[in-house]
Amino acid sequence: MKFLKLLFVFSLFFAVTPSHSQVHVDQITHNSKERYITTTIGYPIPGTYAPLNQKQPITVLNPDGTGFIQAEDLSKQKINWGIECTQEGVPVFKEGFNSASYTFWYRPNDSEEWYYSQFSIHFVKKKMFLMGERVKEYVDYNVQ
């Protein structure tokens, strides 16, 4: 009987532990300054971004922090990406009227240099803008 209770406690412990996992944070260096990035900010960032009313050029962001950016000539460049955050994984953003603006960091796979651009979420329009011109619509599952 004690064995069953012990087994139950261990299985409960292992079942609950993953549900309280922390946000994954990566450390990057830009201009000799340490920064932190994450792919998790509470909104569905991963997906395909394209200029308004166009099918290409696109940017694809995968949940694991990889993806690619397609140039105007439709050539693709593989990237690693993230949204700037604190060391603890809290996203750094500027709040606007019905919007939030973040710093989007990306590094081409064939380079060691990190670049940054703007990433913004427009809550009323349910759209996310990447680099000012590429957009993705999203569904807000947090609305009550």
Side-chain angles (χ1 to χ4, degrees), residues 91-110:
V92 176
F93 67 95
K94 291 181 184 174
E95 190 171 355
F97 182 73
N98 292 324
S99 67
S101 180
Y102 301 81
T103 303
F104 173 78
W105 288 93
Y106 68 98
R107 179 183 60 83
N109 285 7
D110 60 357

Side-chain angles (χ1 to χ4, degrees), residues 19 23 27 32 55 62 66 79-80 82 89 92 98 101 128 134:
S19 66
V23 173
Q27 183 177 339
S32 302
K55 295 197 183 285
N62 298 320
T66 63
I79 63 166
N80 292 316
V92 176
N98 292 324
S101 180
M128 297 178 174
R134 299 182 188 203

Side-chain angles (χ1 to χ4, degrees), residues 79-91:
I79 63 166
N80 292 316
W81 68 273
I83 300 292
E84 189 160 351
C85 65
T86 65
Q87 191 172 0
E88 294 78 26
V90 177

Side-chain angles (χ1 to χ4, degrees), residues 8-29:
F8 175 76
V9 170
F10 277 121
S11 14
L12 183 62
F13 174 76
F14 286 114
V16 173
T17 301
S19 66
H20 292 292
S21 62
Q22 295 181 348
V23 173
H24 178 78
V25 176
D26 289 312
Q27 183 177 339
I28 65 171
T29 303

Side-chain angles (χ1 to χ4, degrees), residues 127-141:
K127 292 185 179 184
M128 297 178 174
F129 287 85
L130 179 62
M131 300 176 172
E133 65 176 16
R134 299 182 188 203
V135 65
K136 174 186 110 156
E137 292 187 16
Y138 75 98
V139 176
D140 190 355
Y141 295 107

Side-chain angles (χ1 to χ4, degrees), residues 4-126:
L4 289 177
K5 286 182 183 178
L6 189 59
L7 182 63
F8 175 76
V9 170
F10 277 121
S11 14
L12 183 62
F13 174 76
F14 286 114
V16 173
T17 301
S19 66
H20 292 292
S21 62
Q22 295 181 348
V23 173
H24 178 78
V25 176
D26 289 312
Q27 183 177 339
I28 65 171
T29 303
H30 181 259
N31 290 340
S32 302
K33 184 176 179 184
E34 301 301 319
R35 299 184 182 273
Y36 301 94
I37 60 173
T38 185
T39 58
T40 307
I41 65 168
Y43 288 90
I45 299 171
T48 302
Y49 295 77
L52 282 172
N53 304 318
Q54 294 183 23
K55 295 197 183 285
Q56 291 185 335
I58 62 172
T59 298
V60 173
L61 303 180
N62 298 320
D64 65 356
T66 63
F68 69 84
I69 295 176
Q70 193 174 37
E72 293 294 326
D73 67 0
L74 303 184
S75 63
K76 294 179 181 177
Q77 186 174 42
K78 291 183 178 182
I79 63 166
N80 292 316
W81 68 273
I83 300 292
E84 189 160 351
C85 65
T86 65
Q87 191 172 0
E88 294 78 26
V90 177
V92 176
F93 67 95
K94 291 181 184 174
E95 190 171 355
F97 182 73
N98 292 324
S99 67
S101 180
Y102 301 81
T103 303
F104 173 78
W105 288 93
Y106 68 98
R107 179 183 60 83
N109 285 7
D110 60 357
S111 170
E112 293 298 317
E113 183 70 25
W114 284 91
Y115 301 93
Y116 62 92
S117 187
Q118 183 181 27
F119 176 83
S120 60
I121 302 173
H122 298 261
F123 305 114
V124 173
K125 296 179 181 181
K126 301 288 188 244

